[in-house]
Amino acid sequence: MKFVWPPIVKVLDARADKIAEGLAAAERGKNDFAQAEKRVADILAEGRSQVSEMVANAEKRAAQIVEDAKTQASEEAARIIAQAKSDVEQEANRAREALRQQVADLVVKGAESILRSEVNPSRHADLLANLKQEL
């Protein structure tokens, strides 16, 4: 026993140490795995919050773009309306001026006809009737 027992005990002790080291390594692995799971959960939560923030910012930007487009469209519409009013007013002024010119021509024409003919009340009434028809 003296010769056989010490090497067997030594081998058994070595085996026990290896088993203890294996169990300790398994426990450390288990702890590392738990910590890694926690880190993954934290990273996922942070990622989700960043995605939510990005979506909120994108929605705000989209709303701002829509609002800017509405403002621009309103300004453009107001400018077009003002230009159209100005064009209509200019056309009306041109039409009035043309009408004035035509009336002036007719008045001159009527006065010329009256002055060329004799001053006769019936003739004068006929000339005025013709002038009214031309107007």
Side-chain angles (χ1 to χ4, degrees):
M1 289 279 263
K2 190 175 169 186
F3 294 110
V4 176
W5 193 250
I8 292 175
V9 170
K10 197 178 204 185
V11 169
L12 287 176
D13 286 341
R15 179 74 177 148
D17 288 342
K18 279 186 180 182
I19 290 172
E21 284 177 19
L23 290 174
E27 190 62 33
R28 281 192 308 268
K30 201 176 185 182
N31 288 339
D32 289 346
F33 181 73
Q35 288 176 354
E37 279 185 325
K38 185 179 181 215
R39 275 187 262 141
V40 166
D42 291 343
I43 290 170
L44 284 174
E46 183 180 335
R48 285 187 187 111
S49 69
Q50 287 177 351
V51 167
S52 297
E53 185 178 328
M54 284 186 222
V55 167
N57 287 340
E59 287 173 351
K60 286 178 187 176
R61 181 66 182 138
Q64 182 63 37
I65 289 171
V66 167
E67 190 61 35
D68 290 346
K70 284 181 183 178
T71 302
Q72 231 175 10
S74 295
E75 290 171 357
E76 184 67 17
R79 188 189 63 76
I80 289 170
I81 290 170
Q83 182 64 36
K85 284 181 181 179
S86 174
D87 290 347
V88 166
E89 188 176 324
Q90 287 177 358
E91 260 324 294
N93 287 338
R94 283 189 204 120
R96 281 189 203 112
E97 190 58 38
L99 186 61
R100 281 187 193 124
Q101 185 63 37
Q102 288 175 358
V103 168
D105 289 345
L106 287 175
V107 167
V108 168
K109 195 175 184 184
E112 184 179 301
S113 296
I114 290 173
L115 291 175
R116 283 191 184 162
S117 67
E118 58 188 61
V119 180
N120 184 346
S122 65
R123 176 79 177 136
H124 188 260
D126 289 340
L127 287 175
L128 286 177
N130 288 339
L131 185 60
K132 284 182 188 177
Q133 287 179 352
E134 287 184 31
L135 289 175

